[in-house]
Amino acid sequence: ATRLFTPTSTEFDGAWVGQLSVSLRTADCYIARGGLRVKVENGQLYGDLRLPVGRGSFTGTVAEDGTVAGIKLTGFQKNTAQGEWTHKYCRGEWDLKKLR
């Protein structure tokens, strides 16, 4: 598979789990809370999202300072990650804890 982004850090590599909330209700977006599973490998981020209204996946890269490129997420730290996210119709917050 071709990678669109060059990894810049391996400090955050590992398995992460957490939650995502949708905090803006529109005709295309429902207020909800769901589970996140994220794997970071060689700075590449692969994520799965499960909400009551459906499932999805996303990818990106994690920089040395913990910011994420390729998706609108910010805030990785050594063993926790949190921040806000945006989408064309929705926005909300997310948080993760590192498993290993």
Side-chain angles (χ1 to χ4, degrees), residues 40-83:
V40 181
E41 183 176 82
N42 294 320
Q44 286 285 136
L45 181 146
Y46 308 93
D48 290 309
L49 164 65
R50 186 177 297 177
L51 288 168
V53 294
R55 300 172 80 168
S57 62
F58 52 91
T59 61
T61 59
V62 183
E64 290 179 22
D65 66 358
T67 57
V68 179
I71 53 177
K72 293 182 186 265
L73 297 177
T74 57
F76 268 80
Q77 297 174 23
K78 185 171 179 139
N79 294 310
T80 62
Q82 61 187 13

Side-chain angles (χ1 to χ4, degrees), residues 7-22:
T8 59
S9 176
T10 58
E11 180 179 351
F12 306 104
D13 284 7
W16 299 74
V17 295
Q19 294 186 1
L20 176 135
S21 66
V22 181

Side-chain angles (χ1 to χ4, degrees), residues 16-24 29-38 47-56 58 73 81 83 85 90-97:
W16 299 74
V17 295
Q19 294 186 1
L20 176 135
S21 66
V22 181
S23 58
L24 174 69
C29 186
Y30 302 94
I31 294 175
R33 191 160 185 85
L36 284 175
R37 289 185 308 167
V38 171
D48 290 309
L49 164 65
R50 186 177 297 177
L51 288 168
V53 294
R55 300 172 80 168
F58 52 91
L73 297 177
W85 64 274
C90 305
R91 70 174 176 242
E93 298 177 350
W94 62 277
D95 60 83
L96 295 169
K97 289 189 169 109

